[in-house]
């Protein structure tokens, strides 16, 4: 693995949260996950769980160190080398007066402490090599954080604060033509996979409605129907839009379909078992986008909401800038939302 270094010291008193991450080769899939987690409740859990120098929590400690580094002091903007993207050197231009929201931005750095523990998170994912799937990395990271944060560390089924925050559960119930239950299966999810290729799906809300709709299973038995419900909703709901399919002839293909989403998400009571008194509501806090034509190439960027000010920030490796909220949902062609982070209200 290549080495990386930073010409800075970790700040004693974090004052800001917005620093870009230098990309020295196909690492954007890591960067967007780190920046998204930096604005959600996982940050607080990790900081409380970290024990500097402890060999039992290498991933928690590396992530805690990243969160500390990402809160560095702001510096005067000047022209300097900020890293690379697909072999092209990225420069930061001299500061200009711009309209719209402003945020303090620090100097970019390389999250070396996190690169070093990537083989622990998922030994099959590449660092300084091939482009990888951001959602796969996110799921691997959260499962590893759960393992390290368990309250009963010697019990395989022990719970953890990560589990209570991000894990959800679905129940699939199959009934026969007379309405008699013939099968019930339950599954846990870290990120919630939602299909987008169904003609009925034009918005995120549509995708949830299709997930919860009754599906006829003629291959199972005549008149059989499957119904999917949530039996547990997480506080941090991460929606994975299934944009990549594999074709035996053409390989990995991307579904470019435009799916609309908003800053609020309300789930119908009928989707949840047992049905709650009120419909759960969620607020959008981060979006990861995939740029490009195929799943095994391209680029990732993300927009995240500052939990302190409510302003939206765009992270594109070393480049960080403030946004108007309308720029988050009105994304251009070629840039597709891939993972959306919602926090329960």
């Amino acid at each position: 693995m290549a080495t990386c270094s930073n010409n800075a010291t970790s700040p004693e008193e974090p004052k800001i949260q917005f620093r870009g991450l230098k990309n020295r080769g196909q690492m954007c899939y890591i960067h967007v996950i780190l920046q998204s987690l930096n604005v959600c409740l996982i940050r607080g859990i990790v900081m409380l769980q970290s024990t500097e120098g402890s060999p039992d929590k290498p991933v928690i400690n590396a992530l805690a160190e990243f969160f500390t580094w990402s809160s560095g002091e702001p510096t005067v903007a000047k022209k300097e080398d900020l890293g690379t993207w697909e072999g092209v050197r990225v420069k930061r231009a001299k500061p200009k007066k711009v309209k719209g929201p402003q945020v303090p931005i620090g100097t970019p750095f390389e999250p070396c402490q996190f690169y070093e523990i990537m083989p622990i998170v998922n030994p099959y994912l590449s660092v300084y090599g091939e482009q990888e799937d951001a959602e796969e990395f996110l799921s691997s990271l959260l499962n590893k954080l759960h393992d390290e944060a368990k309250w009963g560390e010697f019990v395989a089924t022990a719970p953890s604060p990560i589990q209570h925050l991000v894990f959800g559960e679905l129940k699939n119930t199959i009934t026969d033509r007379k309405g008699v239950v013939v099968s019930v299966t339950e599954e846990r999810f870290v990120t919630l996979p939602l299909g987008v290729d169904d003609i009925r799906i034009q918005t995120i809300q549509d995708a949830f409605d299709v997930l919860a709709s009754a599906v006829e299973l003629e291959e199972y038995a005549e008149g059989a129907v499957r119904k999917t419900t949530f039996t547990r909703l997480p506080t941090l709901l991460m929606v994975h839009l299934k944009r990549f399919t594999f074709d035996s002839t053409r390989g990995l293909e991307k579904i470019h379909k435009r799916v609309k989403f908003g800053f609020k998400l309300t789930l119908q009571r009928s989707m949840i078992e047992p049905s709650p008194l009120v419909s759960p509501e969620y607020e959008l806090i981060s979006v990861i986008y995939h740029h490009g034509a195929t799943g095994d190439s391209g680029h990732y960027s993300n927009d995240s909401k500052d939990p302190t000010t409510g302003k939206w920030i765009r992270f594109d490796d070393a480049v960080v800038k403030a946004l108007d909220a309308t720029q988050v949902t009105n994304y251009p062609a070629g840039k597709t939302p891939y993972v959306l982070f919602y926090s329960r209200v």
Side-chain angles (χ1 to χ4, degrees):
M1 179 185 296
T3 59
C4 61
S5 61
N6 292 290
N7 297 321
T9 57
S10 179
E12 294 181 0
E13 297 182 0
K15 294 185 179 181
I16 67 168
Q17 296 181 344
F18 311 115
R19 297 180 69 185
L21 301 177
K22 296 180 181 180
N23 189 345
R24 291 206 288 154
Q26 306 294 347
M27 294 178 288
C28 56
Y29 80 96
I30 300 175
H31 295 172
V32 291
I33 300 302
L34 295 179
Q35 298 287 25
S36 292
L37 296 183
N38 197 26
V39 300
C40 69
L41 292 174
I42 286 178
R43 177 188 173 107
I45 292 176
V46 166
M47 298 304 284
L48 288 173
Q49 287 277 327
S50 65
T51 305
E52 186 175 357
S54 171
D56 299 327
K57 298 182 177 181
V59 178
I60 285 178
N61 291 336
L63 192 55
E65 187 177 353
F66 165 76
F67 289 151
T68 301
W69 273 85
S70 66
S71 299
E73 293 283 356
T75 60
V76 177
K78 61 182 180 180
K79 188 174 183 180
E80 61 176 304
D81 192 349
L82 298 184
T84 63
W85 174 53
E86 294 191 344
V88 179
R89 304 303 297 180
V90 179
K91 301 282 187 178
R92 179 169 61 196
K94 295 181 179 180
K96 299 179 180 180
K97 292 184 178 180
V98 296
K99 297 180 180 179
Q102 299 297 299
V103 294
I105 297 173
T107 54
F109 71 104
E110 290 187 80
C112 307
Q113 66 278 70
F114 205 85
Y115 297 157
E116 293 170 0
I117 55 88
M118 278 295 293
I120 300 175
V121 176
N122 189 326
Y124 301 104
L125 295 180
S126 172
V127 178
Y128 301 111
E130 299 178 356
Q131 179 67 280
E132 302 283 3
D133 186 270
E135 187 278 330
E136 182 182 358
F137 169 57
L138 174 61
S139 294
S140 298
L141 175 57
L142 292 174
N143 278 305
K144 186 59 66 174
L145 290 175
H146 162 61
D147 289 340
E148 292 187 1
K150 286 179 180 177
W151 287 311
E153 56 181 312
F154 299 110
V155 182
T157 58
S160 78
I162 297 294
Q163 173 185 344
H164 282 267
L165 179 64
V166 304
F167 289 1
E169 294 178 358
L170 291 171
K171 182 170 79 171
N172 296 303
T173 304
I174 298 178
T175 57
D176 63 17
R177 61 190 303 176
K178 296 181 180 180
V180 178
V181 175
V182 295
S183 173
V184 175
T185 58
E186 296 182 348
E187 58 181 296
R188 188 187 75 175
F189 64 86
V190 179
T191 62
L192 178 66
L194 292 180
V196 298
D197 55 345
D198 193 300
I199 192 173
R200 295 172 292 175
I201 298 175
Q202 302 298 320
T203 68
I204 289 291
Q205 192 69 59
D206 293 339
F208 275 91
D209 292 341
V210 169
L211 173 70
S213 63
V215 178
E216 295 184 1
L217 301 176
E218 294 298 335
E219 71 280 4
Y220 187 88
E222 184 179 354
V225 173
R226 184 188 68 221
K227 186 73 164 33
T228 300
T229 54
F230 292 95
T231 54
R232 184 183 186 281
L233 284 169
T235 302
L236 180 63
L237 177 61
M238 293 166 287
V239 177
H240 166 214
L241 299 182
K242 297 167 65 175
R243 292 195 172 275
F244 303 113
T245 60
F246 183 80
D247 182 271
S248 58
T249 302
R250 296 184 293 271
L252 193 63
E253 295 185 311
K254 179 179 178 179
I255 301 173
H256 291 268
K257 179 179 180 179
R258 188 175 186 85
V259 178
K260 296 180 180 179
F261 62 93
F263 296 104
K264 300 291 183 182
L265 175 67
T266 302
L267 301 185
Q268 301 302 317
R269 295 168 55 197
S270 59
M271 300 178 180
I272 305 159
E273 188 177 329
S275 179
L277 295 177
V278 296
S279 297
E281 294 185 351
Y282 285 86
E283 178 182 41
L284 186 69
I285 60 172
S286 189
V287 184
I288 292 173
Y289 305 92
H290 181 266
H291 311 241
T294 64
D296 52 5
S297 63
H299 179 60
Y300 288 103
S301 66
N302 73 289
D303 296 341
S304 294
K305 185 178 180 181
D306 179 357
T308 302
T309 66
K311 296 177 180 178
W312 281 87
I313 318 296
R314 176 156 296 166
F315 297 90
D316 193 345
D317 286 330
V319 179
V320 181
K321 63 181 180 180
L323 300 175
D324 289 321
T326 55
Q327 294 176 272
V328 178
T329 55
N330 296 327
Y331 55 92
K335 175 181 177 179
T336 50
Y338 185 47
V339 182
L340 298 95
F341 293 68
Y342 288 94
S343 181
R344 192 158 182 173
V345 178

